[in-house]
Amino acid sequence: MSVAFTKEESSETAAELHLPDRPISQHPNLVTADGLKRLEVEAEEARIAYLAAQAVEDVNERRRQSAVPYRDLRYLTERLRTAQVIPAPESNAIVAFGSKVTFERDDGRVQTYRIVGEDEADPKTGSISFVSPVAARLMGKAVGDVVSVGDQELEITAIA
């Protein structure tokens, strides 16, 4: 039988099916209680998407639709397995994991961020990862302390 009549995957299809794993950080997987809940929700959503893709009859289409949710599910399962929930800080005296910090930059901009785990960080919504350069410099500092980040100085004005 000629190869023209057999159904073989093209190199494009094969590339779509074998997605590389999402990188896992070498840092401890610290999370807030809310961050853990979000990881659980994302894992459940990935599981549901994967199961839905498994119901597709066409094998190539099933593989295509399964690739992303399966990769995400592997990543999220590992992140849930290694998650270390850090309770909210008991004091607002110093910046700690989970603190909401307000600081003023040299140029007069005032910014407020909550320091959270890597998977829950989203600067657009006001949260930064504890391993980010800004958070790393702020940790352990108090109101009135000034820290240098790159060529900028940041003065802590509030901790909540």
Side-chain angles (χ1 to χ4, degrees):
M1 177 186 280
S2 168
V3 225
F5 297 105
T6 63
K7 193 171 187 179
E8 293 187 21
E9 295 179 359
S10 69
S11 62
E12 289 176 1
T13 303
E16 290 174 9
L17 303 180
H18 304 290
L19 298 177
D21 283 339
R22 289 173 59 182
I24 302 282
S25 172
Q26 75 274 13
H27 299 285
N29 186 15
L30 307 183
V31 296
T32 63
D34 287 341
L36 180 66
K37 288 176 191 169
R38 217 162 87 205
L39 283 173
E40 291 169 341
V41 167
E42 288 178 26
E44 181 61 15
E45 288 170 352
R47 187 185 72 75
I48 289 168
Y50 177 74
L51 291 175
Q54 292 304 299
V56 173
E57 281 190 38
D58 179 76
V59 69
N60 289 326
E61 187 60 25
R62 179 179 336 129
R63 288 178 183 160
R64 267 191 292 287
Q65 288 186 26
S66 298
V68 172
Y70 184 61
R71 177 197 61 185
D72 290 348
L73 190 55
R74 287 191 318 265
Y75 173 83
L76 293 163
T77 299
E78 178 62 15
R79 296 303 277 174
L80 283 167
R81 186 187 70 74
T82 60
Q84 300 173 38
V85 179
I86 304 298
E90 293 179 14
S91 166
N92 293 333
I94 62 166
V95 177
F97 186 89
S99 293
K100 193 174 203 178
V101 186
T102 302
F103 54 86
E104 185 174 348
R105 292 183 176 268
D106 284 343
D107 60 10
R109 286 184 297 155
V110 175
Q111 295 178 295
T112 302
Y113 290 106
R114 182 166 183 231
I115 299 175
V116 296
E118 291 178 280
D119 292 315
E120 56 189 312
D122 183 1
K124 292 177 187 173
T125 62
S127 60
I128 57 176
S129 167
F130 74 101
V131 299
S132 71
V134 171
R137 295 284 196 290
L138 294 172
M139 298 284 274
K141 304 297 184 201
V143 171
D145 286 349
V146 176
V147 298
S148 294
V149 179
D151 61 351
Q152 288 254 332
E153 285 193 343
L154 314 176
E155 180 180 354
I156 300 171
T157 58
I159 304 169

